[in-house]
Amino acid sequence: MNYNTVDILLVEDNPNDAELSIREIKKNNLANNLYHIRDGAEAMDFIFAEGQYSENRDIGSPPKLIIMDIKMPKVNGIEVLERLKSDDRTKSTPVIMLSSSRENPDIAKCYALGANSYIVKPLNFEGFSEAIRSLSFYWLMLNEPPVK
Amino acid sequence: MFKVKLPILVMLSSIACLVMSITVMLGWITNIEILKAFIPGFVPAEFNLAFSVALVSLVLILKYFFPENTRMQWVASALSIVVIMIAAITLAEYLLQLQSGIDELFVKDNTIIYSKYYPGRMSPISALCLLVLAAISYVFHQRKYAVYQFYLLSAIAFLSLVMLIGLVFITDIPAYIHMAIPECLSFIILSTAFWAIQPELHKKISFERKTFAALGAAMLLVVFISTLSVYYSNMRNITAAKIEATNKIQEEAEKTLSLAEDIETSGLAYVLTSDTSSLRYYDKARDKINIQIARLWSVSSGSDSERVWVDSLHFYVNKQISIFQAGIAQRMKANQRLKDYPFNSGAGIYYTNWIRETISQLQQREDRLLSEQLNSNQKNIASFNRAFFVFLSSVMLMLLVIILTFRANIIGRRKAEKLASESQDQVQIIFDSAPDAVIVFDGSGKIIQWNPKAVKLFGWKTEEVVGQSILSLIVPEKYRDQYLLIWDKITADPDIKMKGYDTEIKVINREGAIIDIAISISEASFKNEQIFIGFIRDISEKLAVQQQLESLSRQIDKANDAIVSIDSNNKIISWNEGAEKLYGYGKEVMIGQQIDEVLQTEMTDEGLKYLSMELLEHDYWAGELTRKTKSGKLISIHSSKTTIRDSDGEIQGFVAVSYDISYQKKLTAEVNHLANIVAQTTEAIISVGLDLRIISWNKGAENIFGYSQEEVIGKVVTDLELFSMSENEINDSYVALLKNLSWKAELPAIHKDGNKFFGVINSAIVKNELGDNESIVFIVNDITERKKLEQELKQYSNDLEEKVRVRTMEIERNEKKYRNIFENSPLPMWISDNNTLAFLDVNDMALMKYGYTREEFLSMTAADIRPTEERQKFLNQNLSYDLDIENSNRGIWNHLKKDGTLMKMEVIVHKIMFDEIPCRMVLANDVTDKILAEQKMIASEKQFRNTIDNMLEGAQIIGYDWKYIYVNDAFLKQTQFHKHELVGYSLIEKFPGIEDADIFQDYQRCMNERMVIHKETEFKFPDKQNSWLELRFQPVPEGIFILSVDITARKHAQFEIEKLNQELEQKVSNRTDQLVAANKEMESFSYSVSHDLRAPLRGIIGFANILEEDFGPQMTMEARRILTVIKDNTSRMGQLIDDLLMFSRMGRNEIVKHKINTRSMVSSIIESVNNMEGQAPINWNVHELPNIEGDQAMINQVWVNLISNAVKYSKQNPNPCIEIGSLVHEGQIGFFVKDNGVGFDIKYVDKLFSVFQRLHGSHEFEGTGIGLAIVEKIVTKHGGKVWASGGLNKGAMFFFSLPPAGNQIKSTSIMENINQSR
């Protein structure tokens, strides 16, 4: 697969949540080039074309949208977000943060770090589906990406 | 300027040559033509040549920049050899027609150029130039080759220049001398540089040589031009001849053609017409044409090809003629019958056309040749013109250079001539004004020149001596032979030219007097002749001075005085006999010694230093010194020292002249001693000459008479009128003096200020050694004082007598007075004998006090009035008493009255003399009552003291001297001292170090500033035990009084409490930490609950959804229902988790208080719940709601929960009505939400606000049972209260109240809100 043409990068450790998310995204025909990464460390490598991605990834071709869970083993989503948004090469990539929690500090922190959206994963799946769909749609279809 | 740039220029030159050579070599290696020749089409420089030029450039660098480096010079020589080899072999090849293979040793020469005979070989000129350049590098800096170098280098440069010009402008230089552009340039540069780097050779090349070289070059150029012009004019002649020949051929060809045409036309005419006139023409032409062809033949003799043409022409002409001849013959036979003999004229015309064709071709060829010749001619002329112009310009340039050089030379010469004449003048002036006599003479001794000094010295005039023999003129006869020998020696010495010859000889002058001279002879050459110059100086005077000096030094040597000269280092240089006599040391011992070391002097170092300073400053010092002689005797010497300075003023040493003055000194000392006595004595000692003029006048005389020495010396003594004597008296006294040789008188004398006094005069005649009268000495004593004292003494004794009389009277009066006091004293008084203690006298008061009669009392002793038991003590004491007593003493004693009554008597005892007996006078005072009173007071004081002694507080009194005056038992207990250890000792010695303690300042403040101080302090005692004391400092008359309370126990208790408190605080803080940790734990717990508990739920719902979506249609109704149940339950579980989280968060979160607009908050909540589906429209009744202060989010939650509850539980009512309002409850602001829904059973009201407590099943009303618990928690956290009222199916009413924002705004804020809402 060509890692340089990824539209949506999904970073999610919970396989169930990931499957559900992918299903929803697919359902909306948005997942032509969706790439799923299971932890923050790998996400970091992917975004910055390091480690296993150093050979086949060009940092200049970021994914069009990153959907990322906050709570992940090893490196959590906030850490990834922080590095991503503080690097000039990557900070223009839109990022949607996912969380199970409505805990205030996380939301505030994510927005402070420059997250473009923040979704609390709703229990009822319709809500989640709706959220994913509208956000992906917005970021992929409506939003004009930054001119390179 | 040029010198500074020379290294740069040399470097640039060599680099330029190197670059060019390397370029050429690269061209050969890469086979690029343009690199070899620089300009396309020009001759390329050969590889060998370029290589050699490069080596020569390196030689240039090495020779110029490393002249001192032997190794570099070796390399340079080696390179030169290589170049020489290459050039020599090439030249040999040319000369011997060899092919050694050196030409293509490095590269193969593939270029085929028409002009080259040997591939790769350089031109002979280049080889020659190289050979010369390399060879010259061997004779660098050698002057003898300078001229050759100059010519050769100039030639190379010139040749190269010519070649370069030739290359550019002349195309047909003979090929074998062609040189390439780079090589021409390199040769020019290198030859110039070779010359430039040997500046020392430039001088060797005279102007003439330069001119010669330039002229040579110019001539060479002229020859070259001439050769060229000859060559070119020759060329032109050749072409001119050629043109002429061509023209002729053309001309003749033309004629031939016309003849051939004539033959044709006239022949044809005759045949056609048989007109014989035509035949005549024909014959003429036929005869002529052969001659014509012969001429053509002759003019075309130069070229074979032309002859071929002529031959063929001849052939055609003959053919033509023969045809026409035949035709004509036939015609003539046939005559009239032309038709019968048809004439085939075609063959004839055919040949005629051939002839025409041939001639035309011949002419064309000649035309071409002609134009070629013309072209080449023109080209030659142009080339020549150019070359001529260039060479002419060069010649002009050369000539210009020559002219300029001439000009410069002429100017230079003129300058030089001027300088020369100036310098000749200068020499003449020097010669004339030289301080020495100068004689110039030739090898045979003939005088050539003779300067004015010589004239002066010898008396001979210059014109008289010139040409004379010097020997016979100025050398005395007897010395002639001797001097001739010297002369021979001088002339034989080869070094004389360099060194000259100096000697001193005797010569004779014109008058015949012999003069000592010093002569310095030097040799010179003048106009190729050997001449000698003698500088002569008269040294007669010098010799005289020398002799004088010698005699002086002999005198010095023999002088009686010690004359010693010393150098600047204090070393003895000369030592005369006088010195030897004076000091005992011989000359041989002393020379070179340090004078002050051998001849020790008593002078101190400072003295010596001063001496040398004086000497340095004034160049002279004279004074007295002591020195130790050889025999060890100390002698006094008078020494005068003079510095010796050289002409620069530098001190060379000094001369000391000394003589012994020991005896003289002794005498002087004695005289001085006497003179001192005379001078210092108080008597006036005046010595007077026989003429009565004063000779000496001592200090005594100055004092007595008031005249100073200066005033009176030399004056006649009688004129001063020192004594009031008449003239007769003076004369008498003088006579008496002369007669008796002495005279004595007591006379009134007169002081200078006019005061008179009494003087005793003693006078005597002083005689000299011969016994003649010499002078008179007067010794005068002032006896006025004595006289005055005598009178005063008399006066005093009179006064004394009078005083004694008055005193006696006074004493008598006093005696009476004292007696009276004694008698009438109000206190008892008595006098007792010191030894016997018997009473000698007693006053009435005593008798009265003791009750004795006078007789009784006077019969008793002092011991008798004492109590019997004290009597012995009194007696004992009395004995020692006497020793102590000085004037008076006092004490309290027990005395007995006559009747035996004991009295306390204070007794004052005086020592007196009574009737010449040492007695004591006693004054007694009855103090019995006073003592009793005192005793009483002491008792009461004791009582106080006891109190203090036994107080629990420590008490101490410290005196001003810091000594303990009083301490009580409590204090002792506190301090753990014994009383005797403290009292009388000072605070400081008992508590060492207390001065440094802070508490001591309090002691001092109290002591000095007299202030009361209260203090708690800790003391360390010697046994290391600490005590806390409360101290109260109080100033008292004795010093300070300090009250101390031992508060150690109290303090300890206090410390204990403090410690406990601290422990408690520690515990609290620990507990707080634990609490914080627990909170943290709780927080992370709920965080993970919210994340991790929800994730599986989401999975369940999500996958159930997928199941439903993907497989819904295949499922039975029951299966779908069960799926929905699963989803519902999971949703509920999620809700439960959310609510629980919210509840716990409410408990944890801090309240952040803000002002809350209750009205708008409630309105927006109503807005949000109003639009719920399946809900009957609610009738809202909202009253005025006051603003409050509280956490915005939390209070909002309260309202949401209460209002949504009301909505939820009234949904079964078809006409739901909800009322919201406020009230005041127990001083707090209260709110209520009232509905008309299902209500609740009032007996479960307690459970309403508990977590998970529901009064309705979830099938009736959904919910988790946490909403009200949250409300309760929030309100409680705000410090408010919640409560509820209602009944089953009667609706419910929920209340909550919050504390007002602050006391000061409690009422007003409510009022304001009410006002606002109105």
Side-chain angles (χ1 to χ4, degrees), chain B residues 564-611:
Chain B
V564 179
S565 57
I566 294 156
D567 71 5
S568 54
N569 295 324
N570 246 358
K571 269 196 187 124
I572 297 166
I573 303 168
S574 79
W575 184 263
N576 74 342
E577 285 174 17
E580 200 172 331
K581 233 184 276 169
L582 182 62
Y583 299 120
Y585 294 102
K587 188 178 186 171
E588 52 290 336
V589 185
M590 289 307 285
I591 298 272
Q593 296 283 342
Q594 290 277 340
I595 186 159
D596 291 327
E597 276 177 21
V598 183
L599 307 172
Q600 284 168 3
T601 141
E602 283 182 339
M603 235 180 189
T604 56
D605 285 347
E606 286 89 62
L608 283 172
K609 209 179 272 173
Y610 173 73
L611 190 154

Side-chain angles (χ1 to χ4, degrees), chain A residues 14 16-17 19-20 23 27 71 99-101 103 106 120-126, chain B residues 1087 1090-1092 1094-1095 1097-1099 1101-1103 1105-1106 1109-1110 1130 1134 1145 1148:
Chain A
N14 186 322
N16 291 346
D17 280 358
E19 191 183 336
L20 292 170
R23 185 186 159 89
K27 227 153 92 182
K71 196 160 177 294
S99 172
S100 307
S101 155
E103 290 287 304
D106 281 351
V120 178
K121 292 181 197 163
L123 263 188
N124 92 32
F125 204 76
E126 285 76 22
Chain B
Y1087 185 84
S1090 71
H1091 279 89
D1092 301 342
R1094 280 163 62 94
L1097 290 181
R1098 212 163 36 242
I1101 296 180
F1103 286 97
N1105 258 334
I1106 292 170
E1109 268 176 39
D1110 295 358
T1130 319
R1145 194 158 52 231
R1148 284 202 315 274

Side-chain angles (χ1 to χ4, degrees), chain B residues 1169-1200:
Chain B
V1169 297
N1170 223 3
N1171 299 332
M1172 283 184 178
E1173 279 176 36
Q1175 183 91 43
I1178 298 164
N1179 182 16
W1180 296 95
N1181 184 8
V1182 183
H1183 298 277
E1184 295 300 331
L1185 298 171
N1187 291 352
I1188 48 160
E1189 241 184 29
D1191 189 301
Q1192 188 97 28
M1194 288 186 183
I1195 298 298
N1196 193 58
Q1197 194 65 45
V1198 169
W1199 281 109
V1200 166

Side-chain angles (χ1 to χ4, degrees), chain B residues 93 98 313 319 902 1170 1184:
Chain B
E93 280 180 340
L98 288 174
L313 192 65
K319 277 281 180 195
L902 200 66
N1170 223 3
E1184 295 300 331

Side-chain angles (χ1 to χ4, degrees), chain B residues 46-53 86 102-104 106 120 122 130:
Chain B
E46 300 303 341
F47 184 88
N48 278 3
L49 181 71
F51 178 66
S52 304
V53 168
I86 293 172
I102 195 167
D103 304 326
E104 293 183 297
F106 301 102
M122 66 179 90
L130 270 182

Side-chain angles (χ1 to χ4, degrees), chain B residues 24-152:
Chain B
V24 171
M25 287 194 271
L26 278 177
W28 278 104
I29 291 162
T30 55
N31 224 348
I32 299 171
E33 288 301 322
I34 188 144
L35 294 184
K36 296 183 203 170
F38 282 30
I39 297 175
F42 279 79
V43 187
E46 300 303 341
F47 184 88
N48 278 3
L49 181 71
F51 178 66
S52 304
V53 168
L55 295 189
V56 175
S57 311
L58 286 176
V59 169
L60 173 66
I61 293 175
L62 294 174
K63 285 275 174 192
Y64 184 68
F65 289 103
F66 306 97
E68 306 299 330
N69 191 326
T70 329
R71 188 171 295 173
M72 290 297 183
Q73 292 311 309
W74 261 96
V75 174
S77 301
L79 294 178
S80 296
I81 285 178
V82 173
V83 175
I84 288 171
M85 297 257 291
I86 293 172
I89 291 172
T90 309
L91 280 175
E93 280 180 340
Y94 274 111
L95 290 174
L96 305 174
Q97 302 286 313
L98 288 174
Q99 190 55 275
S100 69
I102 195 167
D103 304 326
E104 293 183 297
L105 187 63
F106 301 102
V107 290
K108 207 85 189 147
D109 186 2
N110 294 323
T111 48
I112 311 294
I113 290 190
Y114 66 98
S115 61
K116 232 190 260 176
Y117 308 117
Y118 310 105
R121 189 178 297 176
M122 66 179 90
S123 79
I125 299 178
S126 311
L128 203 62
C129 290
L130 270 182
L131 189 67
V132 171
L133 276 179
I136 280 176
S137 74
Y138 270 95
V139 294
F140 263 7
H141 306 302
Q142 293 186 22
R143 280 160 202 272
K144 54 181 170 179
Y145 297 113
V147 179
Y148 304 108
Q149 272 201 45
F150 175 69
Y151 284 138
L152 287 170

